[in-house]
Amino acid sequence: MSQTQRLPAGGRIDRGRPLAFRFNGRTLHGYHGDTLASALLANGVDVVARSWKYHRPRGVVGHGAEEPNALVQWERGALTVPNVRATQLELYHDLEAASVNCWPSVNFDLWSLNGRFAGLMPAGFYYKTFMWPRRLWHGYERLIRRASGFGVAPREPDPDAYVKRNAHCDVLVVGAGPAGLAAALSAARAGARVILADEQAGFGGRLQDGRESLGDATANAWVDEVAEELRATGRAVLLPRTTVTGYYDHNFLVACERLTDHLPVDARRGPRERLWRIRARQVVIAAGAIERPLVFGNNDRPGIMLASSASAYVNRYAVRPGRRAVVFANHDGAYRAALDLHAVGVEVAAVVDPRPEGEGGLPGRVREAGIEIVPSSVVVDTRGGKRVAGVELMRLYAGSDHVQGETRHVACDLVAMSGGWSPAVHLHSQSGAKVRYDEARACFVPGEPVQAARSAGAANGTFGLAECLAEGAVRGAEAARDAGFAHAEPAGVPAVETVDEAPPRPLWLVPGRRPAGRGPKQFVDFQNDVSAADIRLAAREGFHSVEHVKRYTAMGFGTDQGKLGNINGLAILAQALGQSIPETGTTTFRPNYTPVSFGAVTGQESGELYDPVRKTALHAWHEEHGALFEDVGQWKRPWYYPRPGESLREAVDRECLAARNGVAIMDASTLGKIEIRGPDAGEFLNRIYTNGWKKLGIGRARYGVMLGEDGMVFDDGVTIRLGEERYFMHTTTGGAAHVLAWMERWLQTEWPELRVYLTSVTDHWVTAAVVGPHSREVVSAVCDGIDFESGAFPFMASREGRAAGVPCRVNRISFSGELAFEVNVRADHGRHAWEALMEAGAPHGITPYGTETMHVLRAEKGFVIIGQETDGSVTPGDLGMDWLISKQKDFLGRRSLARPDCVRPDRKQLVGLLTDDPRVVLPEGGQLVTDPDLPAPVPMEGHVTSSYYSACLGHSIALALVKAGRERKGETLRVPLADGSVLSATVTDPVFYDPEGSRQRA
């Protein structure tokens, strides 16, 4: 195996488990414990991907979630995943990956010609360049789409499974570095239920990357000891490979656990990812910090990486990231990288430090190792092509940000850079809390928390190892006490060596021989090719908000979401505007912290489970009797029951005539059903519905409509009062879930003082609507304990008894305009009661009917269907329902009804239409005009909402929304068709049948 850059010993890899993998078609080798990035470096692969705009060669710059460059297309076919960070992709046997954003190959990319025209492609050039000529817009779009983007989304269905899990804990600790482990240990010892989550495969955080000792043991031994103690408590859940991606209200956090991504494809079993939805009493954020790069000329060449990453590749992965290195840093901590590299035989040519020569502990060790320190100097440029070959150094004027003197060239193939550390304040910010700028530490740190949370360790701006351990232990004990464990005490932490360090020197933009924009590119965002000159250009063009600059330049738009570049970018913007960093502010730290797959978000709610098919308890009976079905919401509802040789029109005509002249039966079980209980249930309904409800008698029903806050109708239905504090609401089939959620929102957020409880019972009941002149005979033959005479059982009343021997509730409600009774029984008794009704109705020729017949029957009566006669812009007045608007009370949407637009006389109003030719059915959605021969655009007077042929009337009928429609009865309107023909219809009243309503009250 040829791993030219692999060290002969050391690291935390398992050399007894060699692995073969393929990258860009080449077979390479690594070890178990490698990431794809470390394995590529071990094999001497320098160029991993290309940048977005200029297609410059890009190598590995980090070793974790902050990586902006090393993006790959992982696997192929249905398993392929675009834009995976090679630094977080654990190596396994036969892994396959390829570079992105390059053609025809990563080493020879024709799109790299863009770099030759970089001067013509500054920030915002796309807003100015592709404006004209207009006829080329589509060509521009195709060109830009081909040139933009990185990986390729899979075209085949995802074969993997995903699951979700809800969890509650006393203390959630985010991050299992030294501070997080100490915090979890303190909380667990106090008896708290602890969840400890870390995005890496193993615990320890940056302890895995260094050579520190903790007490008398190695860092690894201490980490293993803490993890074992946590497991032994039985109260701790340890979640490696788990990224806490978002922090929301009420201490609700979301974490994504990767279950099988580290396994060979043929060894994967079970779900790929698990999404954790965690409710925590207390949260400790110990997510660490992100090292900042330095912004200097040509700082993007492969071979230039973060100093901590150079240490990680040496110590954790036993990889030599270069043979001759230059370390460029503005603080003492990065001197560790020089010592780590030197310890494994890498020649460290120099440590370049913009500060005057210091005498701290680490610089002293570097000198003792024989490594040159170049003080008061900076790297102004680099040399090389697809790998850095050297750096150009210049001295800084004393106390200034200007360079002077001769340029010194230092040959090297590795530059380890560090501009300091930025605490990972993302979750703290997502919780709603603010961040503050700390001048001494030159970084943003968490401000006062607004939820039950606290930060610890590097995430809190505490960078020393000893301080991290101590602070983590204290924060864990505090969290446990606040969660109710009064005797919690900080866990003891091991002693560690401390080293005195000199203060860092903030260096946001390294000065060069020429100003930014006149010299070599100084990159702030490596992935999107955003340079310091781009930020200054944005400021000159009037973009002074950091959020506006972000959007104008695309800074932080990539997969790393600005983890490396945004802090440098906002500091450069502050310099350009002549203001402080706190005045400039930060961009928004939005969820998700790192990309989360759609599969994890969806979980098992995909395919058939995304939109599950719902069937009533009578579905099998309908199938047995030849019903054809239509989808209504998620329900399969009988559409019509054709007999042999019958067309849809013939079957519906037969069903309609049976309902009007004899008796018919429909399965109405899909209507939404919500039980409303509580002392304030009547008051609640009074606020929800437009009409009054407090005086409704027990055993009586009332029709009502609900309005949105905009005054527009969004659902309707009949609600029955079953007791003093108990109501039974019916909603539309498709609107049930929305109505329940809407009512819960008002109860929980606006009216929490109301003592009301809502329960969805849609699936608990089977409803058989028996309709027609003989319906009373049928239901009275089946139901006992109920007097069905009109005087005893009036219209809009409800009674309880027994149907075919089982408990039932019968409602005298009609959506057909005929005498009708709805028989409700428990779902498991549904077929029994239905068949009893069919048997009792046989002498009267009882006929089952479906939704198409229901639509015709209700349209004959002018009854509306929400979502068909309404479209979110219709008020009760538009529907002719002013009688439903109470003048005695307030209700949701009332004030909006008084808006000038809602009382315009020319609003569209519900009317009926009768075609000139009684056999012609108008197309639903057809546009109504007065004169189709007018020049385009022809003024539209309204549109057809429902249209059917009525066998009862012997004429086609339609409902429509027409401007000032109620004043236009008798007027002829026309419907132009796509084939050029025109249909004519007369505006009428929307009630075509039994306008007095005498039949339903018979």
Side-chain angles (χ1 to χ4, degrees):
M1 293 187 295
S2 176
Q3 298 182 53
T4 58
Q5 298 301 102
R6 181 74 71 181
L7 296 172
R12 295 182 173 88
I13 54 175
D14 187 349
R15 297 174 189 264
R17 298 172 65 182
L19 302 172
F21 68 99
R22 291 178 64 80
F23 182 69
N24 289 336
R26 292 174 55 202
T27 299
L28 303 172
H29 297 86
Y31 294 108
H32 185 267
D34 266 323
T35 62
L36 176 61
S38 66
L40 291 175
L41 290 172
N43 283 273
V45 176
D46 297 327
V47 183
V48 179
R50 292 278 176 159
S51 65
W52 173 59
K53 185 161 64 172
Y54 303 134
H55 287 253
R56 290 170 67 105
R58 291 284 191 260
V60 176
V61 72
H63 68 286
E66 77 286 345
E67 174 60 44
N69 288 348
L71 303 182
V72 298
Q73 188 80 26
W74 174 36
E75 292 301 343
R76 63 169 66 183
L79 293 174
T80 192
V81 181
N83 304 332
V84 176
R85 294 170 298 285
T87 53
Q88 291 190 302
L89 182 54
E90 296 177 56
L91 199 67
Y92 55 79
H93 186 63
D94 282 343
L95 180 150
E96 185 160 348
S99 301
V100 300
N101 201 40
C102 54
W103 184 82
S105 72
V106 71
N107 287 308
F108 180 70
D109 182 8
L110 287 177
W111 285 104
S112 64
L113 291 172
N114 288 355
R116 301 290 181 90
F117 302 99
L120 301 177
M121 302 168 66
F125 81 96
Y126 27 77
Y127 298 123
K128 309 167 187 174
T129 308
F130 302 105
M131 303 298 292
W132 54 270
R134 184 171 180 173
R135 66 178 182 276
L136 296 181
W137 280 0
H138 292 297
Y140 291 151
E141 180 182 8
R142 286 194 296 270
L143 179 66
I144 293 170
R145 285 188 180 278
R146 288 191 62 185
S148 297
F150 289 99
V152 179
R155 296 181 179 274
E156 303 170 37
D158 187 353
D160 288 315
Y162 304 83
V163 294
K164 297 179 183 178
R165 181 169 180 176
N166 297 313
H168 294 76
C169 63
D170 298 311
V171 179
L172 168 65
V173 181
V174 182
L181 287 169
L185 191 60
S186 294
R189 285 179 177 176
R193 296 171 301 156
V194 175
I195 294 178
L196 176 63
D198 192 280
E199 66 182 0
Q200 299 190 57
F203 289 164
R206 297 201 182 277
L207 291 176
Q208 301 178 81
D209 305 333
R211 295 179 294 163
E212 293 89 354
S213 295
L214 278 73
D216 298 327
T218 64
N220 265 0
W222 180 79
V223 170
D224 293 343
E225 179 184 329
V226 173
E228 185 57 37
E229 181 176 343
L230 290 172
R231 291 189 188 95
T233 66
R235 295 183 299 274
V237 177
L238 306 187
L239 298 177
R241 299 187 179 93
T242 303
T243 304
V244 179
T245 64
Y247 195 148
Y248 306 92
D249 291 343
H250 309 294
N251 263 30
F252 175 66
L253 296 95
V254 173
C256 184
E257 181 183 10
R258 298 173 296 282
L259 299 172
T260 62
D261 285 357
H262 61 291
L263 300 175
V265 172
D266 58 3
R268 295 176 186 174
R269 302 290 185 272
R272 178 190 166 206
E273 293 177 334
R274 178 187 290 125
L275 195 75
W276 289 77
R277 298 181 291 201
I278 303 170
R279 294 280 187 186
R281 289 184 177 178
Q282 298 289 324
V283 175
V284 178
I285 301 173
I290 300 168
E291 193 169 21
R292 292 194 294 263
L294 288 164
V295 182
F296 55 91
N298 288 310
N299 59 335
D300 65 324
R301 299 191 195 280
I304 301 175
M305 66 172 54
L306 299 173
S308 63
S309 297
S311 291
Y313 288 116
V314 165
N315 295 321
R316 191 194 299 195
Y317 302 109
V319 170
R320 183 191 300 111
R323 296 186 177 274
R324 193 167 195 267
V326 168
V327 176
F328 178 26
N330 65 346
H331 62 102
D332 284 6
Y335 281 68
R336 288 190 178 87
L339 295 170
D340 289 339
L341 291 167
H342 176 75
V344 297
V346 175
E347 180 187 355
V348 181
V351 175
V352 182
D353 194 329
R355 303 170 299 172
E357 193 161 356
E359 299 298 332
L362 290 172
R365 295 180 189 177
V366 167
R367 290 191 197 91
E368 291 172 4
I371 300 170
E372 179 188 6
I373 298 177
V374 185
S376 300
S377 299
V378 294
V379 175
V380 296
D381 200 358
T382 66
R383 294 183 182 179
K386 295 176 182 176
R387 174 90 192 197
V388 64
V391 296
E392 306 289 341
L393 309 183
M394 293 187 73
R395 291 190 64 81
L396 287 172
Y397 282 107
S400 75
D401 285 330
H402 301 283
V403 291
Q404 64 175 345
E406 295 296 322
T407 300
R408 174 185 171 186
H409 174 71
V410 179
C412 64
D413 63 354
L414 172 66
V415 176
M417 60 178 172
S418 180
W421 292 87
S422 297
V425 296
H426 300 67
L427 293 177
H428 173 83
S429 182
Q430 290 169 19
S431 75
K434 303 293 185 183
V435 296
R436 60 180 179 83
Y437 186 71
D438 188 302
E439 293 284 354
R441 289 176 282 190
C443 61
F444 283 95
V445 297
E448 288 296 319
V450 298
Q451 298 198 49
R454 55 201 38 82
S455 297
N460 198 38
T462 304
F463 299 125
L465 178 56
E467 293 82 1
C468 277
L469 288 165
E471 187 172 74
V474 170
R475 296 292 182 264
E478 290 175 352
R481 285 197 294 270
D482 289 348
F485 299 87
H487 301 294
E489 294 293 336
V493 295
V496 297
E497 180 187 14
T498 60
V499 181
D500 292 334
E501 295 187 16
R505 173 181 175 171
L507 193 63
W508 308 111
L509 176 59
V510 176
R513 288 167 292 199
R514 288 182 287 177
R518 301 295 182 184
K521 290 284 186 185
Q522 300 165 297
F523 287 100
V524 175
D525 185 317
F526 297 112
Q527 191 173 103
N528 295 308
D529 285 327
V530 179
S531 68
D534 290 327
I535 295 170
R536 290 188 166 183
L537 173 64
R540 290 198 302 273
E541 296 193 353
F543 295 94
H544 294 174
S545 163
V546 67
E547 293 285 7
H548 294 163
V549 170
K550 173 183 176 178
R551 284 152 182 78
Y552 189 66
T553 63
M555 179 181 71
F557 269 24
T559 59
D560 71 323
Q561 284 294 289
K563 290 182 177 64
L564 286 189
N566 276 15
I567 301 299
N568 285 332
L570 71 88
I572 294 169
L573 175 63
Q575 292 175 349
L577 298 176
Q579 61 190 29
S580 69
I581 290 176
E583 288 175 317
T584 306
T586 67
T587 52
T588 303
F589 298 97
R590 294 185 178 89
N592 292 306
Y593 178 71
T594 54
V596 175
S597 68
F598 285 114
V601 175
T602 302
Q604 294 179 308
E605 298 157 11
S606 63
E608 292 182 354
L609 296 179
Y610 171 72
D611 192 17
V613 175
R614 301 178 71 181
K615 300 175 181 178
T616 74
L618 301 174
H619 187 84
W621 188 94
H622 301 315
E623 286 184 318
E624 293 165 10
H625 289 77
L628 298 181
F629 296 89
E630 71 168 339
D631 295 326
V632 182
Q634 295 174 325
W635 291 97
K636 290 290 185 183
R637 295 198 68 178
W639 184 18
Y640 65 103
Y641 297 80
R643 292 176 178 174
E646 270 189 337
S647 65
L648 167 63
R649 169 79 168 268
E650 291 168 338
V652 171
D653 287 352
R654 172 177 52 78
E655 293 172 8
C656 286
L657 292 173
R660 293 294 183 211
N661 301 322
V663 64
I665 187 170
M666 182 183 73
D667 182 0
S669 307
T670 62
L671 289 176
K673 305 175 189 71
I674 302 169
E675 280 226 22
I676 303 171
R677 293 176 180 247
D680 299 316
E683 172 62 23
F684 175 65
L685 290 174
N686 239 28
R687 300 181 188 184
I688 290 289
Y689 281 125
T690 62
N691 48 348
W693 289 82
K694 288 185 176 181
K695 296 181 180 179
L696 181 66
I698 295 174
R700 300 292 297 187
R702 183 166 291 166
Y703 174 76
V705 296
M706 299 178 189
L707 309 184
E709 293 171 90
D710 57 1
M712 304 302 159
V713 177
F714 83 89
D715 206 86
D716 71 341
V718 172
T719 296
I720 306 161
R721 189 171 189 177
L722 301 179
E724 287 292 338
E725 300 179 356
R726 185 183 177 200
Y727 293 79
F728 194 93
M729 175 186 286
H730 294 87
T731 73
T732 57
T733 294
H738 175 62
V739 169
L740 179 63
W742 184 74
M743 293 195 299
E744 284 284 11
R745 190 191 82 188
W746 283 96
L747 280 175
Q748 294 182 29
T749 64
E750 304 299 328
W751 306 324
E753 75 282 359
L754 294 184
R755 293 166 296 169
V756 178
Y757 309 95
L758 310 177
T759 306
S760 174
V761 293
T762 301
D763 295 293
H764 296 196
W765 295 90
V766 159
T767 301
V770 184
V771 176
H774 296 296
S775 58
R776 180 178 281 116
E777 292 99 307
V778 174
V779 294
S780 61
V782 172
C783 299
D784 299 322
I786 301 175
D787 185 348
F788 285 94
E789 290 304 317
S790 290
F793 195 168
F795 183 59
M796 298 299 279
S798 179
R799 299 289 184 265
E800 294 187 358
R802 301 184 74 82
V806 300
C808 72
R809 179 183 301 132
V810 180
N811 305 323
R812 189 173 169 191
I813 301 169
S814 178
F815 194 49
S816 61
E818 292 294 333
L819 175 66
F821 299 87
E822 294 182 356
V823 181
N824 297 269
V825 298
R826 276 175 40 185
D828 50 353
H829 296 153
R831 181 156 180 165
H832 168 71
W834 176 275
E835 290 180 337
L837 290 167
M838 288 296 297
E839 183 179 351
H844 305 282
I846 192 169
T847 300
Y849 70 95
T851 53
E852 190 67 18
T853 295
M854 176 194 73
H855 282 292
V856 177
L857 297 175
R858 65 91 193 173
E860 291 173 344
K861 287 289 295 178
F863 294 157
V864 302
I865 288 185
I866 304 302
Q868 188 155 337
E869 271 65 53
T870 66
D871 59 4
S873 66
V874 177
T875 70
D878 299 335
L879 299 175
M881 293 181 177
D882 295 291
W883 54 275
L884 274 175
I885 307 299
S886 172
K887 296 180 174 58
Q888 310 300 321
K889 69 179 183 76
D890 196 7
F891 53 83
L892 289 175
R894 182 186 181 98
R895 280 170 287 181
S896 294
L897 293 178
R899 289 184 296 133
D901 184 68
C902 289
V903 295
R904 285 187 295 108
D906 63 340
R907 284 185 64 83
K908 290 183 179 180
Q909 298 170 341
L910 185 70
V911 297
L913 294 175
L914 288 174
T915 54
D916 292 351
D917 184 342
R919 298 166 299 173
V920 173
V921 178
L922 296 174
E924 291 186 351
Q927 296 295 309
L928 299 166
V929 302
T930 54
D931 184 356
D933 296 325
L934 289 173
V938 179
M940 300 298 176
E941 301 300 319
H943 67 279
V944 179
T945 61
S946 300
S947 185
Y948 314 96
Y949 179 78
S950 169
C952 180
L953 300 174
H955 202 294
S956 68
I957 59 172
L959 298 176
L961 289 171
V962 175
K963 292 179 181 178
R966 287 192 285 272
E967 298 177 1
R968 303 174 70 167
K969 293 177 183 177
E971 183 178 335
T972 298
L973 295 176
R974 293 170 176 80
V975 181
L977 302 182
D979 61 3
S981 61
V982 178
L983 301 178
S984 298
T986 302
V987 179
T988 69
D989 189 87
V991 181
F992 300 97
Y993 177 81
D994 187 26
E996 297 81 13
S998 58
R999 295 179 68 91
Q1000 65 189 11
R1001 291 181 169 84

